[in-house]
Amino acid sequence: MKEDIYVGVLQNIESLIEGETDLVAVMSTMACELYHAFEHFNWVGFYRRVDERTLKVGPYQGRHGCLAIHIGEGVCGKCAREGETQIENDVSAIPHHIACSDDTKSEMVIPIKDGEGNVRAVLDIDSTEINSFDEIDQEYLKRIGEYLSERCT
Ligand code: SME
């Protein structure tokens, strides 16, 4: 069931961004396709690394997302600092969670790296359900992230 939806999302994104090199256009399309694919996703979007210390919000779908996050802070900042995917299946259990919405119960953040392995952005997904994220989400969101990494020169 979930895997079938991801296969469809991947195919849609692949065809929609084919030949497109503009990062904002690609990020916007990815956020839209993912957000509308899963009812329990209440926020899907990107934070872009704008300098050594700061992430700024990029294209997203959902209600208000905080505009800036310091590297190392929140789930997004931790992902950017460590360069590793973060899965928090109960955000009420982690003190470092930055709550942009009370509806969020679980969260997954994927690092977007360039060819040198530098984190250039993170893909952040919030869910209204606890325990939303598993290895299937990890596999497909990683692949979607790679479409963006290929375009990060
Ligand atoms: N919850 C994130 C902040 C961004 S909102 O989810 C859009 C965090 O803890 O980093």
Side-chain angles (χ1 to χ4, degrees):
M1 181 50 194
K2 175 158 69 172
E3 189 147 11
D4 301 335
I5 297 173
Y6 270 119
V7 169
V9 170
L10 217 63
Q11 285 164 350
N12 287 350
I13 288 175
E14 265 180 29
S15 61
L16 288 166
I17 66 171
E18 194 180 355
E20 182 55 68
T21 58
D22 180 83
L23 293 183
V24 172
V26 171
M27 286 176 173
S28 305
T29 305
M30 290 175 168
C32 176
E33 292 304 309
L34 281 165
Y35 181 79
H36 293 286
F38 295 98
E39 210 163 314
H40 59 283
F41 287 177
N42 61 314
W43 200 92
V44 176
F46 294 87
Y47 282 87
R48 303 156 301 120
R49 188 172 201 153
V50 294
D51 61 35
E52 275 315 297
R53 299 189 57 244
T54 316
L55 296 170
K56 286 273 171 92
V57 74
Y60 69 88
Q61 301 259 333
R63 293 171 55 189
H64 166 73
C66 38
L67 274 64
I69 297 173
H70 286 132
I71 304 284
E73 290 180 6
V75 184
C76 295
K78 190 167 181 283
C79 176
R81 182 188 61 203
E82 297 172 5
E84 298 295 333
T85 294
Q86 309 288 312
I87 296 182
E88 297 295 351
N89 269 321
D90 179 359
V91 293
S92 69
I94 53 164
H96 63 280
H97 177 246
I98 299 170
C100 294
S101 160
D102 295 341
D103 302 340
T104 299
K105 301 293 183 267
S106 59
E107 180 161 16
M108 184 167 185
V109 185
I110 297 99
I112 308 294
K113 298 177 181 177
D114 63 19
E116 276 84 49
N118 307 308
V119 176
R120 298 286 295 277
V122 298
L123 167 57
D124 178 23
I125 300 183
D126 295 348
S127 166
T128 54
E129 297 167 3
I130 280 185
N131 296 326
S132 288
F133 301 105
D134 60 19
E135 62 286 343
I136 293 173
D137 301 279
Q138 188 151 7
E139 184 202 333
Y140 284 91
L141 293 170
K142 184 167 175 285
R143 285 164 67 177
I144 289 169
E146 281 157 8
Y147 290 145
L148 203 49
S149 294
E150 288 159 12
R151 290 161 169 82
C152 289
T153 50

